[in-house]
Amino acid sequence: MRILLFYSTMTGNTEDMAIDTEEELINRGHEVELMDMIADGLPNEDPLPHDLLIMGTYTWGEGDIPEETEDFLEDLFAYDISGLSISIFGSGDHAYENFAGAVDEMIEQFRERGHKGDIPTMKVDVDEMDNIAEDIKSYVDRIEEKFLVK
Ligand SMILES: Cc1cc2nc3c(=O)[nH]c(=O)nc-3n(C[C@H](O)[C@H](O)[C@H](O)COP(=O)(O)O)c2cc1C
């Protein structure tokens, strides 16, 4: 599959998850473009021709989507995303009431804009960040089960 993988990060956890996910996807033969939501932004071209759009975000405030992820979504929602294959992951901290709440908020926003398909997700706690290999493998398993046309 041709995959666009975007992430936003403040202290690097979500970036680490994005890099490991990219590596796992490449090892399985997929073509991945890894991009930073702030530094790279959404390409001017229509993102729809890609087979899959994966987005990673941290959570801010009280379960909120960080501003840079919001800005990215605003650009993305200029397109008709209703039929887009998407997946969302996030890093969070169970010390907060709303664990990785930005992931759920993002799903809500996609639903509000007419996206009806399944959205595979992965959430990882800051304390588990040193040991994410299994999380990443099972996440990519679920992505392939859902989207890979055999
Ligand atoms: C001010 C602040 C608010 C946060 N709020 C939440 C939250 O509501 N839920 C959560 O799961 N994590 C919350 N976090 C934790 C971050 O999402 C977590 O540390 C994450 O791994 C940071 O990702 P990054 O390293 O990619 O920037 C918050 C962190 C800060 C500094």
Side-chain angles (χ1 to χ4, degrees):
M1 292 188 284
R2 275 185 69 212
I3 301 167
L4 264 180
L5 201 176
F6 273 98
Y7 66 90
S8 65
T9 194
M10 195 174 47
T11 59
N13 293 327
T14 319
E15 183 177 29
D16 289 346
M17 291 169 76
I19 290 169
D20 288 2
T21 302
E22 179 199 28
E23 196 179 298
E24 182 67 26
L25 285 163
I26 288 173
N27 285 343
R28 297 189 194 196
H30 301 290
E31 203 183 301
V32 186
E33 272 181 77
L34 181 67
M35 298 176 113
D36 182 324
M37 287 187 191
I38 307 178
D40 302 315
L42 195 67
N44 280 332
E45 61 179 282
D46 187 335
L48 297 184
H50 285 83
D51 299 314
L52 173 65
L53 177 61
I54 304 178
M55 290 156 284
T57 184
Y58 64 99
T59 292
W60 188 244
E62 294 170 12
D64 300 329
I65 301 177
E67 207 175 308
E68 60 270 33
T69 307
E70 282 283 12
D71 290 346
F72 172 84
L73 287 176
E74 202 179 302
D75 291 343
L76 180 64
F77 290 150
Y79 299 95
D80 174 11
I81 52 75
S82 57
L84 197 62
S85 294
I86 58 167
S87 177
I88 302 173
F89 67 86
S91 67
D93 186 339
H94 275 108
Y96 292 87
E97 199 175 315
N98 198 342
F99 175 62
V103 172
D104 306 308
E105 282 288 317
M106 283 177 71
I107 290 172
E108 190 70 22
Q109 291 202 14
F110 275 94
R111 296 298 183 220
E112 281 168 10
R113 281 160 183 82
H115 191 281
K116 292 192 174 66
D118 282 350
I119 303 176
T121 61
M122 164 175 67
K123 294 178 176 180
V124 175
D125 188 279
V126 277
D127 290 341
E128 293 155 17
M129 216 45 81
D130 289 339
N131 198 13
I132 57 172
E134 284 310 311
D135 292 289
I136 302 282
K137 278 207 177 78
S138 87
Y139 177 51
V140 174
D141 282 347
R142 283 182 287 120
I143 285 175
E144 285 193 324
E145 269 163 37
K146 185 71 221 156
F147 299 118
L148 190 58
V149 182
K150 299 257 157 88

